[in-house]
Amino acid sequence: AQKVTQAQTEISVVEKEDVTLDCVYETRDTTYYLFWYKQPPSGELVFLIRRNSFDEQNEISGRYSWNFQKSTSSFNFTITASQVVDSAVYFCALSGATGANNLFFGTGTRLTVIP
Amino acid sequence: GAGVSQTPSNKVTEKGKYVELRCDPISGHTALYWYRQSLGQGPEFLIYFQGTGAADDSGLPNDRFFAVRPEGSVSTLKIQRTERGDSAVYLCASSEYRDAGELFFGEGSRLTVL
């Protein structure tokens, strides 16, 4: 069975602070994919990253970085120097070997960045 | 526009009625997905189309739900005999091909069943 846990329901930070969003997953698949999506107030989910289970290298994209650790089944997301525009609900998701067809989403973390 | 388009954006109906929700994917995208998002929850997978055929409909909750994509482009999600528990935001997404990795989501159709 696939499961994604985002224990942080809501987080508030002051602008320019760094913030880490946690994601823990469960799967029996040896090949799987992990995702992060952003959902701003408009409701449209925006893809941020996909990582396959064989690639544990951390990734950095501008102010965003991701830390994938298979040993702890975690795929955490850090925003550096947060901005008000980062305010949104962030979802971590997991899919099996077939890729993006059937994503299992966590319950999301609502991030509020206070100016 | 160039993104995934969903209509209607809001639909209010009475229990027992039939509803149709439409999704117009990004031009050229062969894969199309329907998800359902209840309040405070993450999206839940409903069905996936590759071309005209439903490649995976394992997420459809029961036989009141049905989806079609007759020409491999626009898709319609159909819900018969709606129930109050069907109230949710129905999200459509498309991708260039199967396993493309990035899904492009629409803004969703909010369904309220009274």
Side-chain angles (χ1 to χ4, degrees):
Chain A
Q2 317 267 29
K3 185 178 180 181
V4 175
T5 301
Q6 295 180 258
Q8 303 151 309
T9 306
E10 296 190 28
I11 300 176
S12 291
V13 298
V14 176
E15 199 171 21
K16 297 184 183 177
E17 287 185 347
D18 299 348
V19 58
T20 295
L21 309 182
D22 297 334
C23 174
V24 175
Y25 63 91
E26 296 177 29
T27 180
R28 294 178 182 173
D29 293 338
T30 54
T31 301
Y32 53 89
Y33 296 84
L34 295 163
F35 303 77
W36 276 95
Y37 277 85
K38 174 182 180 180
Q39 189 173 42
S42 64
E44 185 176 340
L45 284 154
V46 177
F47 169 87
L48 296 178
I49 191 173
R50 179 176 92 154
R51 178 54 51 92
N52 74 55
S53 52
F54 297 107
D55 183 1
E56 286 193 72
Q57 281 192 343
N58 292 331
E59 181 156 342
I60 298 174
S61 176
R63 296 184 297 108
Y64 295 170
S65 62
W66 292 270
N67 179 260
F68 175 29
Q69 292 194 348
K70 288 180 75 171
S71 61
T72 56
S73 298
S74 65
F75 186 45
N76 296 338
F77 172 33
T78 298
I79 302 174
T80 303
S82 59
Q83 300 176 1
V84 173
V85 293
D86 295 329
S87 297
V89 180
Y90 290 86
F91 290 96
C92 180
L94 167 71
S95 73
T98 53
N101 301 345
N102 186 345
L103 292 177
F104 290 87
F105 283 85
T107 52
T109 297
R110 180 177 299 278
L111 174 65
T112 302
V113 181
I114 303 166
Chain B
V4 176
S5 176
Q6 292 189 245
T7 55
S9 55
N10 278 287
K11 175 71 176 178
V12 179
T13 190
E14 294 180 344
K15 178 183 173 183
K17 298 291 188 182
Y18 168 83
V19 300
E20 289 189 351
L21 306 175
R22 175 190 166 106
C23 173
D24 200 342
I26 293 173
S27 178
H29 280 193
T30 62
L32 185 145
Y33 313 78
W34 284 98
Y35 283 79
R36 178 169 71 173
Q37 186 175 20
S38 300
L39 190 63
Q41 301 297 314
E44 295 178 289
F45 171 80
L46 294 177
I47 187 170
Y48 152 64
F49 287 90
Q50 182 61 44
T52 60
D56 182 353
D57 64 357
S58 61
L60 294 177
N62 51 59
D63 61 6
R64 295 187 298 105
F65 289 75
F66 189 71
V68 296
R69 194 185 185 199
E71 298 178 357
S73 178
V74 171
S75 176
T76 304
L77 178 65
K78 308 180 180 191
I79 310 174
Q80 299 177 324
R81 304 183 304 280
T82 51
E83 299 177 357
R84 293 195 178 90
D86 298 336
S87 295
V89 176
Y90 290 82
L91 297 166
C92 178
S94 68
S95 64
E96 194 173 354
Y97 51 86
R98 172 181 167 157
D99 299 343
E102 178 176 356
L103 300 188
F104 294 84
F105 280 85
E107 293 188 352
S109 293
R110 180 177 299 277
L111 174 65
T112 302
V113 182
L114 301 177

